[in-house]
Amino acid sequence: MSVGVGEPIELSQSFEGFFSGEYRSLLGLATALCGNRVLGEDVVQEAMFCASRQWSKLSTYDDRARWASGAVVRRYSNLRRGRSRESRALHRLAGRRDTRVPPLARLETDSFWDAVRNLPRRQRECIALHYLDDLDVSEIAATLEIAEATVRVHLHTARKALATVVGEDEESDA
Amino acid sequence: MTIDTRGREAARRALEELAALDVPDVEMVVRSRRAQRRQRRTAWVFSAGAVLLAGAGVGALATRDGSSPHASVSQSTPTITPVRSGLSFVSFHWQGCPFQGIDGCTSVSDDGTSSDVAAASVRNDDATKGSVIVVTLTPAAAQRFASDSVYRAYIDGVEVNMVPGASGTLVLSRDAVNSWDTNTARALAARILATR
């Protein structure tokens, strides 16, 4: 079925700039959360598609990048929560496409990100946003729409758990 | 090394790797996502349509099968259920269904009366906070109705709710959500047994 293919698409230049500027960092965030580049790409492209549909509103936002990070986290949560047929199909597809799509070795196989993926969902999201997007506590809280105190607790608990797993000192400066 | 340093180092290496990636064409991404959504929407509409058609088909068959031995139904006259003494019921099941869907299924129906009842008892029903009648079928009737799951039942011409119970039994209640008080249930059970 080739519905929609070939139809003219009007995208503003500012959206194209936003897309190319944010795509890589969002893919990093999504791959860190999903543990798989193919799923990560799906999550990011879906988030970007949502952004394209709401661009007239989004283009007025000061921090569009944060909105996009939040959209990636929400899409990832939906994918994970839903456990839908689609996500299972994507998993199967990801398995097949691994040979053609080079993995993001640093995010998919690094022991640190492996340990991050074994954390509870909120802790994982806080850690990924903190290190990959370099967001501070207040920015993470705004992105995930939770209280700053909650973010602090998640980061503290996550660091403690990560220190145990990867065998580092849990002391931190954030 | 602290976990924080380790995390920043892991992120730096990951971002270096990401920086070398090619960004896909934005138009291609939006176009393919739009096509995916349309396909999903179309599939959903087709599925919903199929479910509605199936429901309408089942409803039509249930109406036809349920009314044929007891009533004449036409569009211009209201449904009339002739009065029969005691218990009377119609049941049906699907036969020869393919793996999915109901296309190709055949509806098989059967009639039952008080004479198919071996015993009738009354028990309390917690869900409806009242009493229901448990009808035990004769062995021959139990075999006949073994694979049936949908019933229309009447006691002295008044429609009641009937669902399969434990092996060889059927449970009667006033309707799908209400039962009877104990005295009424006992009287109806006695009526069923008296009309065998």
Side-chain angles (χ1 to χ4, degrees):
Chain A
M1 200 171 181
S2 59
V3 182
V5 175
E7 285 180 9
I9 290 180
E10 285 179 26
L11 295 168
S12 72
Q13 288 204 333
S14 60
F15 176 73
E16 289 179 20
F18 170 75
F19 183 92
S20 54
E22 298 299 329
Y23 188 86
R24 290 186 186 92
S25 65
L26 292 175
L27 178 60
L29 176 65
T31 308
L33 293 172
C34 301
N36 179 300
R37 177 176 166 179
V38 178
L39 279 178
E41 280 179 341
D42 180 61
V43 166
V44 173
Q45 290 180 12
E46 191 63 27
M48 282 297 194
F49 179 63
C50 291
S52 75
R53 299 175 82 187
Q54 305 174 42
W55 188 245
S56 56
K57 191 172 84 176
L58 269 179
S59 56
T60 62
Y61 287 10
D62 289 336
D63 199 348
R64 295 186 282 270
R66 188 188 300 165
W67 180 91
S69 296
V72 163
V73 171
R74 285 190 294 277
R75 172 71 188 158
Y76 158 72
S77 298
N78 289 344
L79 193 77
R80 190 172 167 274
R81 193 187 303 125
R83 297 257 172 218
S84 60
R85 197 173 297 167
E86 182 191 11
S87 98
R88 287 196 297 274
L90 280 166
H91 272 290
R92 286 197 296 274
L93 190 64
R96 283 182 206 156
R97 282 179 58 188
D98 273 351
T99 50
R100 285 189 285 149
V101 180
L104 290 171
R106 299 295 187 192
L107 283 162
E108 292 183 46
T109 59
D110 187 294
S111 61
F112 178 81
W113 296 112
D114 257 353
V116 169
R117 278 188 289 275
N118 286 322
L119 295 171
R121 180 175 63 91
R122 275 299 192 205
Q123 291 178 27
R124 186 183 328 157
E125 291 166 1
C126 289
I127 287 284
L129 287 168
H130 180 58
Y131 290 118
L132 280 170
D133 279 8
D134 203 23
L135 301 187
D136 63 24
V137 169
S138 62
E139 289 168 326
I140 296 172
T143 304
L144 298 180
E145 296 174 347
I146 55 177
E148 288 186 22
T150 312
V151 174
R152 274 191 213 97
V153 171
H154 282 319
L155 283 175
H156 175 74
T157 318
R159 283 199 189 102
K160 208 169 169 179
L162 287 172
T164 314
V165 177
V166 300
E168 307 284 0
D169 186 352
E170 71 172 276
E171 211 175 288
S172 74
D173 46 78
Chain B
M1 191 188 280
T2 65
I3 194 67
D4 209 45
T5 316
R6 175 84 171 79
R8 288 188 193 288
E9 181 60 22
R12 190 186 59 75
R13 286 197 306 260
L15 292 172
E16 273 175 13
E17 191 181 32
L18 286 163
L21 282 181
D22 288 331
V23 175
D25 179 54
V26 56
E27 201 174 313
M28 189 79 93
V29 168
V30 172
R31 181 171 285 157
S32 70
R33 293 279 143 180
R34 194 175 287 178
Q36 266 181 23
R37 291 225 170 175
R38 283 187 190 171
Q39 281 177 0
R40 246 180 263 160
R41 204 180 310 139
T42 309
W44 189 91
V45 168
F46 273 119
S47 307
V51 168
L52 285 174
L53 280 174
V58 169
L61 281 169
T63 307
R64 192 184 65 194
D65 293 341
S67 59
S68 56
H70 303 297
S72 59
V73 180
S74 73
Q75 289 185 335
S76 57
T77 54
T79 303
I80 301 164
T81 306
V83 175
R84 278 195 180 185
S85 297
L87 177 68
S88 60
F89 58 95
V90 184
S91 69
F92 79 90
H93 65 268
W94 294 108
Q95 198 173 59
C97 292
F99 177 62
Q100 279 182 324
I102 63 164
D103 292 341
C105 290
T106 312
S107 166
V108 180
S109 63
D110 201 353
D111 293 275
T113 61
S114 295
S115 58
D116 292 310
V117 175
S121 60
V122 171
R123 71 162 166 80
N124 288 328
D125 183 56
D126 292 336
T128 53
K129 298 195 184 338
S131 296
V132 295
I133 302 168
V134 180
V135 165
T136 306
L137 297 172
T138 60
Q143 202 172 354
R144 263 170 51 215
F145 296 104
S147 55
D148 292 4
S149 55
V150 181
Y151 295 85
R152 291 190 77 179
Y154 307 83
I155 298 175
D156 290 339
V158 177
E159 185 162 7
V160 296
N161 185 56
M162 178 184 260
V163 293
S167 175
T169 65
L170 296 168
V171 180
L172 295 163
S173 54
R174 201 171 75 189
D175 56 41
V177 289
N178 294 300
S179 50
W180 294 286
D181 62 72
T182 310
N183 289 339
T184 308
R186 280 185 185 150
L188 291 171
R191 174 79 182 143
I192 290 168
L193 293 174
T195 51
R196 284 186 293 174

